Amino acid sequence: MEIRVEQGDIASQAVDAIVVNLFEGVEAPGGATGAVDKALDGAISQVIKEGGCRGKDGTFTLIHTLGKLPTPRVVVAGLGKQDDFTVDKVRNLAANTARYLRRNRCKTAATITHGAGIGGLDPQACAQAIAEGTLMGLYRFDRHKKPKEDDVELEQLSLVEFDATRAEAVRHGVDRGAVLGEAVNFARDLANEPGNKLTPTDLAERAQAMASEVGLECEVFDQPWMEEQGMGALLSVAAGSQQPPKFIVLRYKGGGSSHLGFVGKGITFDTGGISIKPAAGMEHMKGDMSGAAAVIAAMGAIARLKPEIDVTMAVPATENMPGGNATKPGDVVTTMTGKTIEVINTDAEGRLILSDGLGYMGQSKPDFIIDVATLTGAISIALGDVAMGAMGNSDALYERVQRAAAAAGEKVWQLPMYDEYKDQIKSEVADMKNTGGRNAGSITAAMLLREFVDDTPWVHIDMAGVDIYDKVKGTTVKGASGIPVRTLVHLAFVLANDPL
Ligand code: BES
Ligand code: MN
Ligand code: ZN
């Protein structure tokens, strides 16, 4: 799918449909919608008068031009109330519009930049949101399905900007938005891929292929290297699997004065191990590498958008399987940092592999560390499928994460790591144990991770509640969400411009 920018008049576009818009309650359309209305001899105003188009959020009105314009169809997108209009609404609107056009069998379309005219929002931000929303909204994971013969794809969308002085800003926005939307879809592709088609080896190969495409340094380490490093926790999770584990490192050198580290949980399938999960819903555990997918895809976008900051990414990748050699409840494992963990429940494997992921990242001496993981079911009990959970050791870094998430239109909220919770992960036989019971499950998981971070500012993001959706709504489609790719990319820019 191609998104282009053109300077000119939307009404003169020879495409399958042109898209204009209307705020709720407007009776006499102005701006570009007004111009198209005029070219149609008042057809839009007449439909409004007859009650066929009220500008309600999420509604579309299709008007046939019957030869009055080069395009056969005009789509009037409802924007809702003008006072509530935001860039996030523009992004979701673009996603809904793109699907509406595809449903109506349009291969080519042109749109005005929603929000940038009467809406009064920043044209570049709106253009970016339209590109992101269009790409995210059209996404579907169908590579393992026989193509339907009469399926139509929206192949081309042009943003048509009348005002020459704004065309440059719109172009910038579209370029950035396309990179971000593609990165989200790349993360979705990785996370949606079933466990048999995306083993740790496959994940490493996909990361490597992307890295050579965008010019990132990539290293993939094998089991003997993990043994040399003393990554006993990662190896203990891999022990039950026939698939070799991989440790994936990507490096971006953007210059500037600071260095950001990303660590992503790369469990390509989580059966739970010997503490095996119930059968119902276990298929979703093919997405237990969503944290890894997000950091890998974010690195790709960072390489293309070039913030002035260095970024290092580490992904420990393995399956979590039961097997003759699998780790057993009660086993004690020694992590890379030398600290020991008693494995009470082999299904709490994410924190085990991340302890070595964070241990490795510590050696790179970054100025800030973000880890991203589908770590605990408990985070959905706390925050539902609306927000990611965050915990960390630095209010200043958390504030930057908040700012980045707000810019991305993603949600993240902090939980406390009070000292009192620490007793829950005390072990009789090791330095700590890997589960702290049902209460405050997301917090005790984060507190184990904290043991593997020195005083480097660090924020842990638990995305287990928002990794997969079974609904289509705005930029959300069925399957992997691609969250928090955009937050991570924005964060690289926030930290480049405003280090702690
Ligand atoms: N991968 C799961 C967490 C998860 C749950 C992700 C639901 C996405 C959706 C994680 O490895 C896990 O199994 N966590 C356990 C921890 C428990 C054994 C302490 C959990 O949350 O039940
Ligand atoms: Mn698990
Ligand atoms: Zn897991």
Side-chain angles (χ1 to χ4, degrees), residues 55-335:
K56 288 239 184 228
D57 192 10
T59 63
F60 295 99
T61 310
L62 188 65
I63 295 173
H64 296 268
T65 64
L66 307 175
K68 286 183 179 151
L69 288 178
T71 183
R73 290 178 281 190
V74 173
V75 175
V76 185
L79 303 183
K81 297 208 168 71
Q82 187 167 350
D83 291 347
D84 311 336
F85 204 59
T86 60
V87 172
D88 290 342
K89 286 240 169 97
V90 174
R91 192 182 299 107
N92 283 315
L93 171 72
N96 290 331
T97 305
R99 282 191 298 268
Y100 180 84
L101 292 167
R102 179 170 66 188
R103 256 199 319 280
N104 283 282
R105 312 186 62 75
C106 296
K107 286 189 180 158
T108 60
T111 181
I112 57 172
T113 309
H114 308 295
I118 299 165
L121 302 172
D122 175 49
Q124 181 173 333
C126 291
Q128 179 174 332
I130 290 173
E132 288 175 15
T134 301
L135 292 168
M136 291 168 76
L138 289 173
Y139 178 86
R140 41 189 178 192
F141 185 69
D142 52 10
R143 61 183 301 195
H144 301 302
K145 283 170 109 168
K146 185 152 74 67
K148 282 199 200 121
E149 262 154 41
D150 61 344
D151 254 10
V152 165
E153 290 294 339
L154 180 61
E155 287 161 6
Q156 191 190 90
L157 179 71
S158 303
L159 272 75
V160 183
E161 177 56 54
F162 187 72
D163 185 343
T165 61
R166 295 210 304 211
E168 202 47 35
V170 170
R171 208 162 272 130
H172 270 298
V174 165
D175 288 348
R176 284 182 79 84
V179 169
L180 288 163
E182 281 165 17
V184 169
N185 290 347
F186 177 45
R188 288 170 168 179
D189 271 343
L190 294 175
N192 281 326
E193 202 65 81
N196 65 329
K197 309 240 183 233
L198 194 97
T199 62
T201 306
D202 297 316
L203 182 63
E205 279 171 7
R206 298 253 198 133
Q208 205 143 31
M210 181 277 289
S212 57
E213 214 171 280
V214 300
L216 283 170
E217 255 176 64
C218 177
E219 282 182 292
V220 176
F221 300 105
D222 295 314
Q223 177 148 350
W225 176 88
M226 295 169 206
E227 282 158 8
E228 270 164 44
Q229 300 289 312
M231 294 182 163
L234 169 57
L235 289 166
S236 78
V237 177
S241 171
Q242 300 289 316
Q243 290 293 335
K246 299 284 165 180
F247 196 96
I248 308 164
V249 177
L250 295 175
R251 287 194 191 84
Y252 165 75
K253 299 269 186 288
S257 54
S258 46
H259 179 192
L260 167 62
F262 287 145
V263 181
K265 173 177 172 182
I267 296 291
T268 60
F269 195 86
D270 183 11
T271 64
I274 295 300
S275 316
I276 198 161
K277 288 179 182 292
M282 202 205 273
E283 68 278 8
H284 295 307
M285 287 300 122
K286 70 179 185 177
D288 208 19
M289 32 55 71
S290 295
V295 294
I296 291 169
M299 290 300 285
I302 287 169
R304 292 171 71 184
L305 296 174
K306 302 195 178 1
E308 272 185 48
I309 186 171
D310 291 343
V311 191
T312 302
M313 181 220 77
V315 163
T318 176
E319 289 182 333
N320 184 25
M321 298 284 285
N325 196 38
T327 295
K328 303 164 289 297
D331 287 359
V332 172
V333 301
T334 305
T335 64

Side-chain angles (χ1 to χ4, degrees), residues 265 270 277 285 288 345 347 349 351 374-377 435 464:
K265 173 177 172 182
D270 183 11
K277 288 179 182 292
M285 287 300 122
D288 208 19
N345 188 320
D347 198 10
E349 84 296 340
R351 62 201 79 181
T374 47
L375 205 63
T376 65
T435 55

